[in-house]
Amino acid sequence: MTETQLTERIHQLAEELPAPPWGVAGDLARGRARLRRRRTTLAGGALALAVAGGAAWTAVVGDGTGTPPVTSQDRAPAAPADLPADLPADVPADLDARIQDLAVRPRTREEQLPAITVRQLQDIADVLMSRVQGPVGWLSVSVSDGWRASGADTCPQGWACEDARVRGADRARWAEAGTVHQLAVEVDGNVHVFTLDSEDQRPSAVAWDDRS
Amino acid sequence: MGTRRRDAEFTEFVVSRRVRLHRTAYLMCGDPHRAEDIVQQALAKLYVSWPRVRRAESVDAYARRSVLNAFLDDGARSSRREVAAEIEDRAQPDRLSHEDADALWDALRELPPGQRRVVVLRHYWGLSVEETAADLGISTGTVKSQTAAALTRLRGALVPADVTGENR
């Protein structure tokens, strides 16, 4: 077989490949969502750096109002619980208040994501209730950056997985093992993973965990 | 770059290239669903990088690389083979028979990922040795050696149609 023949055959083979239905709108939505998340991450990181830098500057030279620099003795024993997780541990105790004053508190990743509509949530609830029997002791929701990142394209050993239908979703998949159930739902490029367990504690193992 | 312009240019690219990118991913992994995932991810990355990519380099090359790298990143997973069953019956003489398609898929699947990648770029995208090397960030010598090795394997696996006259 010559190179020319190989080229010809590969083209013939490729021409026959079935292509799934697609629309530019879906690609645009996924691209915009990814761009939004990236900008949020960058802005959050820059803000954290700026705030930490400002705090360090204030700690060293004071804030220019005559207030003495913050020392380690002045600090509260722990930072407020709702500070961004990526801030240094030794930030001043009133940093959260300063951020609030500036009205620039960074929003969490979930806050930045497009919300699921009430209608979609109702449809998701219908699917969950139709499949999970008995009481639910644990429910958590995570959001992943795409289908593969959520892990929903896999089915770990010991889990039973199958495609599910959720109205208004681009696709959905169900996983089940013992008392743990998971439903992955892709909407506008974001994958929401609902984890339910009849036990009232976080499941020790799940099929899909955000890999992004 | 404004959002409208980015969207318009990106849309134009997707319309003209998406099918080809999907086929590229499909040829690499042999699984239409996985191929679709790979293409979706590649296009989302492309959208984010659009201003830089369109200024600095070939958009085609970036998209191709994203698809191929996504496949390699995912290389540990076994590729499923769902193609032959989904290919429609063919009656036209210039199309591959089921047997030929099966044989070619089997042969492609047996190639190491690196060789398959080179084969797809050279024989599906029609890139030269130099273009393939630039696309993949490897030397032209590596492209040549991988192409030769792939051809040897494929020759061994495929019955030469022009000799037997049975496979076409």
Side-chain angles (χ1 to χ4, degrees):
Chain A
M1 184 176 58
T2 64
E3 288 204 33
T4 307
Q5 287 172 326
L6 175 61
T7 300
E8 191 180 307
R9 285 193 188 192
I10 285 181
H11 273 273
Q12 288 170 343
L13 186 64
E15 291 299 315
E16 300 296 328
L17 297 178
W22 59 275
V24 178
D27 291 320
L28 271 174
R30 279 183 286 273
R32 286 172 183 155
R34 190 181 183 96
L35 182 62
R36 226 172 12 244
R37 282 193 290 272
R38 182 182 162 87
R39 283 176 174 164
T40 302
T41 306
L42 291 175
L47 177 63
L49 278 175
V51 168
W57 177 259
T58 303
V60 173
V61 302
D63 61 5
T65 62
T67 307
V70 179
T71 65
S72 58
Q73 287 77 15
D74 296 324
R75 289 183 193 136
D82 56 347
L83 281 176
D86 50 353
L87 283 178
D90 59 345
V91 295
D94 62 344
L95 179 58
D96 193 34
R98 295 187 198 183
I99 296 174
Q100 296 282 6
D101 288 342
L102 291 170
V104 290
R105 184 176 67 82
R107 298 162 71 193
T108 65
R109 183 181 176 209
E110 283 72 19
E111 286 172 329
Q112 289 288 339
L113 293 170
I116 294 182
T117 64
V118 172
R119 179 60 183 272
Q120 286 166 336
L121 201 53
Q122 286 172 334
D123 292 339
I124 290 167
D126 285 345
V127 173
L128 294 175
M129 297 312 291
S130 69
R131 285 175 172 259
V132 180
Q133 306 298 321
V136 173
W138 175 270
L139 169 64
S140 61
V141 185
S142 64
V143 185
S144 291
D145 181 14
W147 191 251
R148 293 174 72 229
S150 75
D153 58 337
T154 65
C155 188
Q157 196 170 10
W159 288 80
C161 309
E162 63 181 35
D163 290 340
R165 292 180 70 87
V166 173
R167 268 185 305 176
D170 298 329
R171 56 182 152 178
R173 193 157 166 79
W174 183 262
E176 190 174 337
T179 60
V180 183
H181 307 264
Q182 286 194 290
L183 177 66
V185 183
E186 183 174 3
V187 178
D188 292 338
N190 296 303
V191 178
H192 306 260
V193 178
F194 296 79
T195 303
L196 294 87
D197 194 346
S198 57
E199 307 290 334
D200 59 353
Q201 59 186 353
R202 177 185 291 276
S204 57
V206 291
W208 305 321
D209 207 2
D210 190 356
R211 292 177 288 174
S212 62
Chain B
M1 166 180 266
T3 302
R4 272 191 193 176
R5 187 172 164 198
R6 179 197 294 244
D7 285 2
E9 291 178 358
F10 178 78
T11 297
E12 189 180 339
F13 176 82
V14 170
V15 168
S16 66
R17 285 290 189 266
R18 199 184 200 285
V19 170
R20 198 164 196 201
L21 288 172
H22 186 265
R23 286 174 175 164
T24 300
Y26 204 152
L27 286 170
M28 290 298 294
C29 71
D31 178 340
H33 305 297
R34 198 169 146 209
E36 177 62 16
D37 283 343
I38 287 172
V39 171
Q40 284 185 9
Q41 278 216 334
L43 289 177
K45 283 182 188 171
L46 176 62
Y47 182 87
V48 171
S49 306
W50 186 264
R52 177 179 60 81
V53 171
R54 66 181 286 282
R55 268 199 318 268
E57 57 180 321
S58 157
V59 179
D60 269 341
Y62 182 91
R64 276 195 306 261
R65 257 201 311 274
S66 292
V67 166
L68 296 175
N69 289 340
F71 168 75
L72 290 182
D73 291 345
D74 218 20
R77 301 186 201 176
S78 61
S79 68
R80 288 183 288 162
R81 181 167 168 274
E82 303 175 357
V83 179
E86 295 186 24
I87 295 179
E88 297 170 358
D89 286 339
R90 290 167 290 264
Q92 296 179 23
D94 60 338
R95 291 181 172 185
L96 285 177
S97 68
H98 274 303
E99 292 75 19
D100 273 356
D102 281 350
L104 185 50
W105 271 115
D106 286 341
L108 283 172
R109 282 176 61 235
E110 292 303 315
L111 292 180
Q115 289 180 19
R116 209 180 318 162
R117 196 171 56 159
V118 168
V119 166
V120 169
L121 286 183
R122 294 220 53 213
H123 295 284
Y124 180 56
W125 280 88
L127 302 189
S128 68
V129 170
E130 290 74 19
E131 288 168 333
T132 304
D135 239 36
L136 299 177
I138 58 179
S139 70
T140 54
T142 303
V143 173
K144 287 177 186 172
S145 64
Q146 291 202 331
T147 304
L151 271 171
T152 303
R153 277 173 174 255
L154 290 172
R155 280 193 189 106
L158 297 172
V159 180
D162 49 342
V163 173
T164 65
E166 292 173 354
N167 278 5
R168 297 297 300 269

